[in-house]
Amino acid sequence: MREIMDGIRDLSEVAELSATQAQLLLERACLRHGLRCPRCAESRCCRLRPPRFRCSRCAHSFRLFTGRWIERPRIPARSWLAALKCLEFDIRGQAGSRFAGLSEPVYYRALDAARRSLAAQDPAWKALAAESEGQPEVFGVRRSRNGKGGEPLRIEPVGGGKDLLRLASDLGVRHRNGFAYLSAYAGYDALVCHGAVLKELGIATRAFDRVTGDPFLSFLVNRTTRHFGIPRSSFPLYLKEQELRFNGGGLPLFPRLLDSITSYR
Ligand SMILES: [Zn+2]
């Protein structure tokens, strides 16, 4: 499986896959996460006509994609692979939707599902990945200090984050490209939130004059400059995506996306 996932390096390789090859690739990625009956969670299942299975315990028959992120939106396998590849390369709007053979709204639903599936792999983000409303809007950044393996950077939702922002606002909040960044506070190396959150709280901000000394901040500034700012509603998942990109150090995101989108919700 690894070879197949790594084998797709650029967009043309997705375009050259037949519908059957694309379907097979997604099915194999699904099976790496095992099988689970959606009714009783039994893992022993027998194969019916592809892509259907029957539970050995309750006899319920179900599709391989049932209960996984990839189930919604229901789009052709090749469109999924194309959308994931576009997300890896940051291809948005019409160019991405055309390549994936999807309307723009469906294309964005696929990207949203892919980002949610990525975030859901982290237990601290699972709830946020599942819901859209009433979720934390302030995030703490922790940098690894021991340098012994593990991820170099971690971003986590901060409960009661808005109160923390009010307290920390005396430090002077700096913003750029629609997001705000507060250096070291309350055990975190930094706090970060969408600029609109501060506006809503009536907290005064000043723009960064220059960005130095914090590699993740520089990274975030570069990324948000490319995207002309990020809508408030998609900021949390966007931030999680940036953590993974930053920690990946330029490694392709596609294998990870394929893995998360075929996992169970
Ligand atoms: Zn069952």
Side-chain angles (χ1 to χ4, degrees), residues 173-246:
V173 183
R174 295 177 302 164
H175 71 90
R176 178 99 170 240
N177 302 347
F179 73 88
Y181 203 83
L182 289 82
S183 299
Y185 194 75
Y188 293 103
D189 291 302
L191 293 177
V192 58
C193 69
H194 193 272
V197 177
L198 295 163
K199 206 172 257 179
E200 195 177 273
L201 294 173
I203 295 175
T205 58
R206 62 191 165 85
F208 286 110
D209 33 11
R210 59 203 173 96
V211 176
T212 49
D214 184 334
F216 180 66
L217 177 56
S218 310
F219 179 83
L220 202 55
V221 165
N222 284 336
R223 299 282 308 177
T224 46
T225 301
R226 197 186 306 175
H227 297 143
F228 309 107
I230 304 300
R232 181 176 179 175
S233 58
S234 41
F235 189 71
L237 290 172
Y238 174 82
L239 203 56
K240 183 63 180 168
E241 180 195 330
Q242 303 320 314
E243 176 209 279
L244 294 168
R245 286 186 190 271
F246 181 82

Side-chain angles (χ1 to χ4, degrees), residues 69 112 116 125-136 233 236-237:
W69 291 97
D112 182 65
R116 284 177 192 279
W125 283 75
K126 211 167 167 65
L128 203 151
E131 303 286 336
S132 302
E133 308 207 345
Q135 295 293 332
S233 58
L237 290 172

Side-chain angles (χ1 to χ4, degrees), residues 9-68:
R9 293 194 194 284
D10 55 40
L11 293 177
S12 65
E13 287 176 58
V14 171
E16 283 162 12
L17 286 176
S18 70
T20 313
Q21 285 171 321
Q23 178 70 22
L24 200 65
L25 209 154
L26 284 187
E27 288 179 7
R28 288 174 71 175
C30 282
L31 288 172
R32 289 182 72 222
H33 297 282
L35 268 177
R36 190 199 297 166
C37 168
R39 192 184 274 171
C40 75
E42 172 62 50
S43 59
R44 286 173 307 137
C45 306
C46 58
R47 199 179 275 270
L48 302 176
R49 197 160 154 249
R52 299 195 75 86
F53 290 83
R54 177 180 286 131
C55 172
S56 305
R57 189 160 149 210
C58 74
H60 179 59
S61 95
F62 59 95
R63 297 169 66 88
L64 181 58
F65 291 173
T66 306
R68 301 177 198 257

Side-chain angles (χ1 to χ4, degrees), residues 90-119:
D90 251 338
I91 301 168
R92 292 169 185 236
Q94 254 186 20
S97 65
R98 271 198 202 144
F99 180 68
L102 301 169
S103 68
E104 267 190 72
V106 176
Y107 175 65
Y108 280 113
R109 273 176 55 212
L111 295 191
D112 182 65
R115 285 199 183 91
R116 284 177 192 279
S117 75
L118 262 188

